[in-house]
Amino acid sequence: MAKEIEQEIAELLIRNHMTVTTAESCTGGLVAGRLINAAGISAAYRQGYITYANEAKHKLLGVKNKTLRKHGAVSRQTAKQMAKGAAAAAKAGIAGPDGGTKEKPVGLVYIGCYVQGKVTVKECHFSGSRSEIRQATVESALILLRECILERLG
């Protein structure tokens, strides 16, 4: 049986003395929940932030109000600042069915990953129900996290 991705991530983090913190918006804590499923993750998981409102993104993660006004909550710029802000704070999207626009349709999600000074942001376009979009986002976030860790480890 194949190992779950969250278990792979936990083992990578622990073996390499790394920690992880999550900052989530449209996923509402689902990424953290998946990571916490992994045995031994308490050695690497520090804390998580669910910052659904722009005010929370600004107050807890240091996302600039100017960024939120100019680019919006669903943007590459906001995802990058959320990733960096969560890492700094820990010392370590649009899910639908409403809220989309022509420029930012339902299913548009930005996933940011900050690993040892490097930020990677991925733009994703998902379809389906609100729940399906959130689940697809979680899977993509975990895949990106694993890729970023492996890239950093060389």
Side-chain angles (χ1 to χ4, degrees), residues 69-101:
R69 281 192 308 273
K70 183 174 180 181
H71 302 286
V74 181
S75 67
R76 178 173 302 279
Q77 296 84 353
T78 296
K80 182 176 182 178
Q81 289 181 18
M82 284 178 67
K84 288 176 80 172
K91 308 285 186 263
I94 304 172
D98 302 316
T101 65

Side-chain angles (χ1 to χ4, degrees), residues 4 12 21 29 44-46 50 60 68 75 95 100 109-110 112 115 127 130 148:
E4 297 289 332
L12 277 170
T21 294
Y45 188 82
R46 292 293 168 248
I50 300 171
L60 298 173
L68 292 165
S75 67
V109 177
Y110 290 92
V115 178
S127 61
R130 181 178 182 84
C148 289

Side-chain angles (χ1 to χ4, degrees), residues 8-19:
E8 288 180 48
I9 291 168
E11 291 171 10
L12 277 170
L13 292 167
I14 294 163
R15 186 171 49 250
N16 292 286
H17 308 286
M18 299 171 80
T19 60

Side-chain angles (χ1 to χ4, degrees), residues 22-136:
T22 56
E24 303 179 61
S25 186
C26 78
T27 51
L30 293 173
V31 174
R34 283 283 300 274
L35 287 171
I36 291 169
N37 283 337
I41 194 65
S42 61
Y45 188 82
R46 292 293 168 248
Q47 60 203 42
Y49 301 90
I50 300 171
T51 57
Y52 202 72
N54 285 351
E55 296 80 16
K57 288 174 182 63
H58 173 71
K59 181 179 177 184
L60 298 173
L61 303 176
V63 176
K64 296 177 180 142
N65 283 322
K66 180 180 177 182
T67 300
L68 292 165
R69 281 192 308 273
K70 183 174 180 181
H71 302 286
V74 181
S75 67
R76 178 173 302 279
Q77 296 84 353
T78 296
K80 182 176 182 178
Q81 289 181 18
M82 284 178 67
K84 288 176 80 172
K91 308 285 186 263
I94 304 172
D98 302 316
T101 65
K102 184 177 178 183
E103 297 80 23
K104 294 184 180 185
V106 168
L108 172 64
V109 177
Y110 290 92
I111 302 168
C113 187
Y114 179 91
V115 178
Q116 297 176 339
K118 181 180 179 195
V119 182
T120 302
V121 178
K122 180 178 179 183
E123 179 179 321
C124 302
H125 297 268
F126 301 118
S127 61
S129 68
R130 181 178 182 84
S131 178
E132 290 167 333
I133 290 169
R134 292 175 73 218
Q135 291 302 326

